[in-house]
Amino acid sequence: MRHNFVDIGCGKGKACIFAARNNILSFDSIKGIDFCASLIEVAEVNKRKALTHRVVFEVADATEYRLAAGNTLVFMFNPFDDLVLSRFVENNREHFATYASFIAYANDIHREVLEKAGFDARFRDPDRHLSLFAHSCHGTRFGHAHSASLGRA
C-alpha cells in the first residue's frame, strides 16, 4: 500500500520539505499543491535549497484536485474558505471512503465542514486550533502509525 503526503495550499512548501527531510512515516510520495503559481515557484526554489528532490509541487485548484490512490496524510493550514474545503472533500469522497487517510488541519476554523462530511476528529487541541480527522468509515490506523497514540478528540 502506498503512503502519500499531500499539502493542500502548500504556499512556499515548508510542510512538504519537512515531511521529506524527517521522513517519519516513510512516505512514498510527497506533493504540495497551490492555486498560486508564484508561490509554487518559491516552493521549487526552497526545495532545491533544502536538497529535497523527491517533493513534487504543482499549481492546482483544490476544488478540482483528486488525491492519488493510497493511504494519504492530507495537511492543510487553513488554506481556503469553507466552500473550497467542502468541494475538495466532496471531490475526494471516494478516496476517503476507500483508503485509511487522515486530514491534519491547522488553524481549523472550518472543521465543521469535515464533521458534516462524515469525518471524526481523532485529536483536537483547541488552544492551538489543530485537528486530526479521519473518515468515520475507517479505524485509526495509517500504515504503522496509530492515531490513538496521538490522543483523542
Side-chain angles (χ1 to χ4, degrees):
M1 177 66 62
R2 289 186 56 81
H3 292 89
N4 309 308
F5 177 91
V6 179
D7 183 357
I8 306 296
C10 68
K12 298 177 183 179
K14 185 176 180 179
C16 290
I17 291 167
F18 179 83
R21 294 184 95 186
N22 292 284
N23 211 9
I24 296 167
L25 291 175
S26 300
F27 293 108
D28 297 304
S29 71
I30 300 170
K31 185 175 229 180
I33 71 157
D34 204 288
F35 190 71
C36 180
S38 62
L39 286 175
I40 292 295
E41 290 173 12
V42 174
E44 288 289 349
V45 169
N46 290 338
K47 175 177 84 170
R48 286 191 295 279
K49 287 179 182 177
L51 304 173
T52 53
H53 303 290
R54 51 191 220 107
V55 177
V56 174
F57 292 110
E58 175 184 338
V59 176
D61 183 341
T63 64
E64 299 173 2
Y65 187 76
R66 302 281 180 157
L67 294 168
N71 296 340
T72 304
L73 176 58
V74 176
F75 176 76
M76 297 184 294
F77 194 95
N78 189 34
F80 32 68
D81 65 22
D82 56 337
L83 296 175
V84 173
L85 179 57
S86 181
R87 288 183 187 148
F88 169 76
V89 169
E90 183 59 36
N91 284 341
N92 289 285
R93 182 175 300 283
E94 185 176 325
H95 173 92
F96 289 113
T98 303
Y99 300 102
S101 295
F102 287 86
I103 297 177
Y105 188 17
N107 195 21
D108 58 357
I109 61 174
H110 301 297
R111 65 187 175 280
E112 73 281 349
V113 170
L114 298 174
E115 293 164 350
K116 288 178 185 175
F119 287 82
D120 295 325
R122 303 299 170 98
F123 172 83
R124 176 115 207 294
D125 183 335
D127 295 329
R128 297 175 62 200
H129 305 282
L130 299 171
S131 296
L132 182 67
F133 286 91
H135 198 274
S136 58
C137 68
H138 288 289
T140 58
R141 295 190 65 76
F142 180 88
H144 300 293
H146 198 283
S147 70
S149 65
L150 299 174
R152 299 296 276 176

